[in-house]
Amino acid sequence: MKHFFNRRETIVTEALDGLLRTIGSGDLARLDGYPEIKVILRAEWDKMKVSIVSGGGAGHEPSHAGFVGKGMLTAAISGEIFASPSVEAVLAAIRAVTGPAGCLLIVKNYTGDRLNFGLAAEKARAEGFRVEMVIVADDIALPDITQPRGVAGTLFVHKISGHLSETGRDLATVAAAARAAAMDIVSLGMSLSSCSIPGQPHEDRFGENDGELGLGIHGEPGVERIALQSADRLVATMAERLAVRIDPTASHALLINNLGSVPPLEMSVIANAVLASPLAKAIKLTIGPGPLMTALNMNGFSLSLIRLDAARETALLAPVGPQAWMPAKPVVSPSVVPLARPASASATRKPSQNARTRRLVVAICERLIALEATLNGLDAKAGDGDTGSTVATGARSVLERLDTLPLAEPAATLGAIGDILSASMGGSSGVLLSIFFTAAAQAQDGGANLAKALLAGLERMTFYGGAKMGDRTMVDALEPALKALAANGLDEAATAARLGAEATAAMGRAKSGRSAYVGSKLQGVVDPGAYAMAEVFAAAAALHEAA
């Protein structure tokens, strides 16, 4: 795996300084003592309030330093990647932010964290500091384990404790609320890959078509291997296991956490799946989806639930300073606004018949459908090989709606074809041709004859699309054909279109459209759009000659 870093030895300290340089204020600072002591803290902290301190290994960003600020953590201690901070680093943080009100340590249930934070708490008490510690063990992946792991549900405790501290509650109250909250949190993770650590060799233990349910935030193996399947089914599996661990009659807050590299698009799909599952009946507030407690670049997510009461709901909804925190929001159903009815002539077009126009439309559409494979082959040399399929889809859509077209009214027919192509054809070709037909219809409505109207459509198409003669697009066949049509008739137009299309093979590099990214590999290849336009005019000319 590839990573952006300078040296493995300095990656954590450089990342913490990067955070401090980009927060846009002097609200946060770090203790001196790099690299052994890596502590981010509130710069102007009132020690008459209970300090809320947490931390752990790096690699879980934005946890923990990203949540230092008003209403959340007073200080965060970082170790190296996935390594607990030292006793001395924790003790230094306690000394820096703790006054008469005392300090609450929030610790995830990992052996290293328990030992280092625990010994630091004992040392701090020996120095006269009032220190309480709460251990969060929210992971339900391993149901029979005596020491469940502490994972993303820990963030609920950060938020609730931070709010109580900010509002002036005493240490006993804050600690009791934190311990009670920790007992009411359940979490479960799912991933399709393990994570890779910068500077270390990586071997993914996952198969191509499987993932793991219940793996830890350091890449620890999950409770079971699970086959790759739809997001709905994966989420359903997690929701079922979470549901049996909560009170279904109580309201809960849900934290949807990105473990590192799941794209936002997919996280929203996951969120929708959770909130469409039976588990949604118990969910009142959501936090996320987003990266809150990550595992470097793990391609996975976790779900955490906490039972709500009035005090917890108030705490979770309270605004905070850290920008990395995602505010809790009430669950709402998607609202739907009715589609506006079109006010244009397209809404009032009535079907009508004209045998000549019908034959012309059918001949052109059938020719384009027959060329699907040929055009795809030409496009495969320049892009993703779908021009033929795109054009054929548009042609089929026109044929399917043939009996609804106002064929006796040329301008209305052009406009109707433009509407059909914009809805069914897709891609840039569909939009461009829709512009062409729509503008041509408007020009003909304004009194222009067919040839001039089509030239007006071409002018609008090239204005919006940006292509011109010589750019190796459909314009290279369409423009000379339409000019010849206006001057000399259909036969000359067909000849001009064919010559224009053939000329694109000698143009080499395209200057517009997707082909512009291919370079000189197009030498000797006819542009598929130009080829299609030439065939359109050829089909029209053949029908005219037969008549």
Side-chain angles (χ1 to χ4, degrees):
M1 299 290 289
K2 298 176 182 178
H3 298 273
F4 293 103
F5 70 107
N6 296 313
R7 291 189 300 130
R8 182 178 166 189
E9 294 78 11
T10 60
I11 188 171
V12 178
T13 55
E14 290 175 1
L16 291 174
D17 280 350
L19 169 67
L20 294 175
R21 293 179 192 276
T22 55
I23 59 171
S25 70
D27 294 342
L28 303 187
R30 66 170 169 86
L31 286 183
D32 196 7
Y34 273 0
E36 290 82 9
I37 293 175
K38 296 181 277 291
V39 175
I40 303 297
L41 70 164
R42 293 179 65 175
E44 302 293 335
W45 172 243
D46 178 4
K47 292 185 179 181
M48 299 307 293
K49 294 181 178 180
V50 176
S51 60
I52 309 298
V53 177
S54 189
H60 304 302
E61 289 70 25
S63 293
H64 300 83
F67 298 132
V68 176
K70 184 177 181 180
M72 288 196 74
L73 299 180
T74 313
I77 312 104
S78 178
E80 294 301 315
I81 293 178
F82 294 166
S84 178
S86 68
V87 173
E88 288 306 311
V90 178
L91 186 56
I94 296 172
R95 290 172 180 149
V97 298
T98 305
C103 171
L104 176 68
L105 298 178
I106 301 173
V107 180
K108 296 187 297 301
N109 195 25
Y110 288 94
T111 301
D113 287 349
R114 290 176 65 116
L115 293 176
N116 285 291
F117 278 81
L119 181 52
E122 294 301 319
K123 286 178 174 282
R125 292 188 189 108
E127 293 180 13
F129 292 101
R130 297 173 59 212
V131 180
E132 294 285 344
M133 188 167 95
V134 60
I135 298 171
V136 185
D138 54 312
D139 188 9
I140 66 164
L142 306 169
D144 300 324
I145 194 171
T146 57
Q147 293 289 338
R149 297 172 295 205
V151 288
T154 308
L155 301 178
F156 286 129
V157 184
H158 290 174
K159 184 67 173 67
I160 292 167
S161 303
H163 172 73
L164 294 175
S165 167
E166 200 69 49
T167 53
R169 307 301 179 87
D170 62 23
L171 180 58
T173 301
V174 177
R179 291 191 181 103
M183 295 294 293
D184 283 339
I185 300 170
V186 290
S187 296
L188 186 61
M190 159 84 69
S191 186
L192 304 181
S193 76
S194 57
C195 54
S196 61
I197 298 177
Q200 291 187 11
H202 173 70
E203 289 187 15
D204 200 329
R205 66 177 180 270
F206 290 43
E208 183 178 351
N209 295 309
D210 60 17
E212 280 185 355
L213 178 67
L215 73 176
I217 57 173
H218 308 102
E220 308 99 312
V223 63
E224 65 184 82
R225 192 63 59 91
I226 191 163
L228 182 62
Q229 50 198 291
S230 71
D232 285 343
R233 293 178 64 185
L234 292 174
V235 168
T237 298
M238 297 175 70
E240 288 170 6
R241 301 196 185 191
L242 288 165
V244 299
R245 301 295 296 270
I246 65 171
D247 178 357
T249 66
S251 295
H252 294 75
L254 168 69
L255 187 150
I256 308 171
N257 176 51
N258 187 339
L259 283 165
S261 68
V262 182
L265 176 72
E266 295 175 31
M267 287 303 301
S268 292
V269 170
I270 290 163
N272 186 63
V274 179
L275 296 174
S277 75
L279 187 64
K281 295 177 183 177
I283 300 170
K284 184 177 183 181
L285 299 176
T286 59
I287 299 168
L292 294 161
M293 184 175 286
T294 62
L296 289 172
N297 58 354
M298 186 181 288
N299 184 22
F301 68 97
S302 64
L303 304 175
S304 300
L305 290 162
I306 182 171
R307 184 177 62 81
L308 290 174
D309 56 26
R312 290 175 187 170
E313 187 171 343
T314 297
L316 291 175
L317 288 170
V320 296
Q323 295 182 5
W325 179 252
M326 304 185 77
K329 300 289 180 65
V331 177
V332 295
S333 297
S335 59
V336 179
V337 177
L339 287 172
R341 296 297 178 186
S344 65
S346 61
T348 58
R349 293 188 189 118
K350 296 187 186 220
S352 60
Q353 293 301 316
N354 180 286
R356 182 179 178 186
T357 303
R358 185 184 185 95
R359 286 194 299 271
L360 177 62
V361 171
V362 169
I364 291 173
C365 289
E366 289 181 345
R367 176 73 68 96
L368 292 174
I369 292 168
L371 288 170
E372 181 172 359
T374 300
L375 294 175
N376 280 342
L378 289 172
D379 190 42
K381 301 179 190 309
D384 51 9
D386 66 347
T387 292
S389 299
T390 300
V391 168
T393 297
R396 290 189 186 100
S397 296
V398 172
L399 289 180
E400 287 167 3
R401 295 164 176 81
L402 191 60
D403 290 334
T404 69
L405 295 179
L407 296 175
E409 304 173 61
T413 300
L414 292 173
I417 291 174
D419 290 343
I420 292 170
L421 296 183
S422 70
S424 66
M425 191 166 167
S428 58
S429 297
V431 176
L432 288 169
L433 288 173
S434 179
I435 291 170
F436 172 76
F437 282 106
T438 302
Q442 292 172 358
Q444 195 162 31
D445 263 339
N449 62 31
L450 180 60
K452 289 184 178 179
L454 294 175
L455 281 169
L458 174 66
E459 187 277 327
R460 288 289 84 192
M461 185 181 79
T462 55
F463 172 79
Y464 290 113
K468 58 184 184 299
M469 284 287 293
D471 285 354
R472 202 182 185 282
T473 68
M474 71 171 82
V475 174
D476 289 297
L478 190 55
E479 182 172 326
L482 292 179
K483 288 180 177 178
L485 179 66
N488 301 307
L490 190 53
D491 290 340
E492 291 293 329
T495 300
R498 177 177 54 79
L499 293 175
E502 291 173 352
T504 62
M507 290 178 184
R509 187 181 184 91
K511 298 177 183 176
S512 187
R514 185 187 295 128
S515 300
Y517 305 116
V518 178
S520 60
K521 296 179 182 177
L522 300 175
Q523 193 73 32
V525 179
V526 173
D527 177 74
Y531 189 95
M533 291 300 103
E535 290 295 318
V536 165
F537 281 94
L543 185 65
H544 177 70
E545 184 177 344

